Amino acid sequence: MNKTMVPLTSDQRLLSLDILRGFDLFMLVFFQPVFVAFVKVMNLPFADTLLYHFNHEQWIGFRAWDLVMPLFLFMSGVSMPFAFSKYQQMSDKSAVYKRIIKRVILLFILGAVVQGNLLAFDLHQLRLYSNTLQAIAIGYLITSLIFLNFSMKGQVIGGVILLLLYWVPMTFFGDFTSEGNFAEKVDRIILGRFRDGVSWNPDGTWSFSPHYQYTWILSSLTFGVTVLMGALAGGIMKNGANRNRNALILFISGIVCILISLLWSLQMPVIKKIWTCSMTLYSGGWCLLLMALFYYIIDCRGYSKGLKWLKIYGMNAITAYVLGQVINFRSIVQSLSYGLEQFLGDYYSVWITFGNYFILFCILSILYKRGIFLRV
């Protein structure tokens, strides 16, 4: 059979997924910080234009950098049809449910570590739910329950229900400002003093920061939709015999999601910080388009020359994220490059940033070559 007509089995890895995930992590823990540091030092007259899409949107709107987190969630869903296929037909799913709960707990713990508050061993600094890994954990939990118990049609219906469950209270019990949205009210009530952005006063009292705008509890519903969109995409790529047709389905689905999101944004704006329904479909649409592009080039056309190195990040994505966010290697770079500052001048800070993330790349490369991968 032609390779475009061979469906993937559950034990096969999707090369395009590893490379796309690696691209996402490479942007996060190498390219963006180094590029931003370089452009700022150059002090170019058009620097703001260059950096515009390497920063998050303040409130309403969407920039390229706002896609990094949704893509991370989306790809955690893509792998689910491959990982869970053998469990779907089982009447007793207790084994897989234990695996799911274990992963959710580990991701929550790692998320708290990344946030920098768990290891302080101080309840004043503890934040219960405030990190990308924790969003992945909840999205993964919601999606796994839907995926394991419903057909693809049921999964689509489940995604629509999740969107409506978010849309109704957000529309009728608040507005879409940073202060008045319903998701913000829910977070303040449920998380209270353990919400990110809380500041403590010397007299022991605390208050919510007016500058912290991210929401998590109600937004978990739309986190679930983002991961579910990835699972649906993974199901198409796994079960479809014709890979070129699969790529076309992903592409058309992405366009449809973006068009629906633009229409929905007329009523519910695209706001990444509170993960609105329109933002979920808009970002999910772009995730589908990227997945279609990488899948077509790599898995359909068989072209991966110059791209496989991204697997160094993609196959150890959690490790790359945690190390990149938690450990600062700059002191090592400063020690090894002592005296270079007088020659590099303002570019010394760029060198330090580059060295920091290059050390991370070297660690990931060693792990990759030795076949060591963090499986959460």
Short mmCIF file of all heavy atoms in Angstrom, two decimals, residues 20 104 121 178 217 225 267 313-314 328 348 361:
data_model
loop_
_atom_site.label_atom_id
_atom_site.label_comp_id
_atom_site.label_asym_id
_atom_site.label_seq_id
_atom_site.Cartn_x
_atom_site.Cartn_y
_atom_site.Cartn_z
N LEU A 20 6.07 19.59 15.81
CA LEU A 20 5.28 20.79 16.10
C LEU A 20 5.35 21.13 17.58
O LEU A 20 5.49 22.31 17.95
CB LEU A 20 3.82 20.57 15.69
CG LEU A 20 2.86 21.74 15.96
CD1 LEU A 20 3.35 23.01 15.30
CD2 LEU A 20 1.44 21.39 15.50
N VAL A 104 -2.77 13.97 36.30
CA VAL A 104 -3.34 15.25 36.71
C VAL A 104 -2.64 15.76 37.98
O VAL A 104 -2.26 16.93 38.07
CB VAL A 104 -4.86 15.13 36.94
CG1 VAL A 104 -5.40 16.38 37.63
CG2 VAL A 104 -5.57 14.90 35.61
N PHE A 121 7.44 26.64 50.76
CA PHE A 121 6.88 26.05 51.99
C PHE A 121 6.24 27.12 52.88
O PHE A 121 6.39 27.13 54.09
CB PHE A 121 7.97 25.30 52.77
CG PHE A 121 8.58 24.16 51.99
CD1 PHE A 121 9.85 24.29 51.46
CD2 PHE A 121 7.89 22.98 51.78
CE1 PHE A 121 10.42 23.25 50.73
CE2 PHE A 121 8.44 21.94 51.05
CZ PHE A 121 9.71 22.07 50.53
N SER A 178 -12.02 43.40 32.42
CA SER A 178 -11.11 42.66 33.30
C SER A 178 -11.62 42.63 34.73
O SER A 178 -11.31 41.71 35.49
CB SER A 178 -9.71 43.27 33.25
OG SER A 178 -9.75 44.64 33.62
N ILE A 217 -10.71 28.82 37.11
CA ILE A 217 -11.75 27.87 37.50
C ILE A 217 -12.79 27.70 36.38
O ILE A 217 -12.96 26.61 35.82
CB ILE A 217 -12.44 28.30 38.81
CG1 ILE A 217 -11.43 28.40 39.96
CG2 ILE A 217 -13.56 27.30 39.15
CD1 ILE A 217 -10.79 27.07 40.33
N VAL A 225 -12.06 22.32 26.10
CA VAL A 225 -12.40 22.36 24.68
C VAL A 225 -11.14 22.40 23.82
O VAL A 225 -11.05 21.72 22.79
CB VAL A 225 -13.29 23.58 24.37
CG1 VAL A 225 -13.55 23.68 22.86
CG2 VAL A 225 -14.61 23.49 25.12
N GLN A 267 -20.08 39.18 19.78
CA GLN A 267 -20.82 39.18 21.04
C GLN A 267 -19.89 38.93 22.23
O GLN A 267 -19.98 39.62 23.25
CB GLN A 267 -21.92 38.11 20.99
CG GLN A 267 -22.79 38.06 22.25
CD GLN A 267 -22.27 37.08 23.30
OE1 GLN A 267 -21.70 36.03 22.98
NE2 GLN A 267 -22.44 37.43 24.57
N TYR A 313 13.21 19.02 21.76
CA TYR A 313 12.26 19.73 22.63
C TYR A 313 10.93 18.98 22.69
O TYR A 313 10.33 18.84 23.76
CB TYR A 313 12.00 21.14 22.10
CG TYR A 313 13.16 22.09 22.23
CD1 TYR A 313 14.04 22.29 21.18
CD2 TYR A 313 13.38 22.81 23.40
CE1 TYR A 313 15.11 23.18 21.29
CE2 TYR A 313 14.43 23.70 23.52
CZ TYR A 313 15.30 23.88 22.47
OH TYR A 313 16.34 24.76 22.58
N GLY A 314 10.46 18.50 21.55
CA GLY A 314 9.12 17.94 21.46
C GLY A 314 8.92 16.66 22.24
O GLY A 314 7.83 16.42 22.77
N ASN A 328 17.62 28.88 36.53
CA ASN A 328 18.33 29.99 35.87
C ASN A 328 19.79 29.59 35.71
O ASN A 328 20.52 29.47 36.69
CB ASN A 328 18.19 31.25 36.73
CG ASN A 328 18.69 32.48 36.01
OD1 ASN A 328 19.50 32.40 35.09
ND2 ASN A 328 18.21 33.64 36.41
N TYR A 348 26.31 41.97 25.90
CA TYR A 348 26.66 40.98 26.93
C TYR A 348 25.39 40.36 27.52
O TYR A 348 25.34 39.15 27.77
CB TYR A 348 27.49 41.63 28.03
CG TYR A 348 27.95 40.68 29.10
CD1 TYR A 348 28.90 39.70 28.83
CD2 TYR A 348 27.45 40.76 30.40
CE1 TYR A 348 29.33 38.82 29.81
CE2 TYR A 348 27.87 39.90 31.40
CZ TYR A 348 28.81 38.92 31.09
OH TYR A 348 29.24 38.05 32.07
N PHE A 361 19.26 23.63 26.14
CA PHE A 361 19.23 22.84 24.92
C PHE A 361 20.22 21.67 25.00
O PHE A 361 19.91 20.55 24.58
CB PHE A 361 19.56 23.71 23.72
CG PHE A 361 19.73 22.95 22.43
CD1 PHE A 361 18.62 22.47 21.74
CD2 PHE A 361 20.99 22.70 21.91
CE1 PHE A 361 18.77 21.75 20.57
CE2 PHE A 361 21.16 21.98 20.74
CZ PHE A 361 20.04 21.51 20.06
#
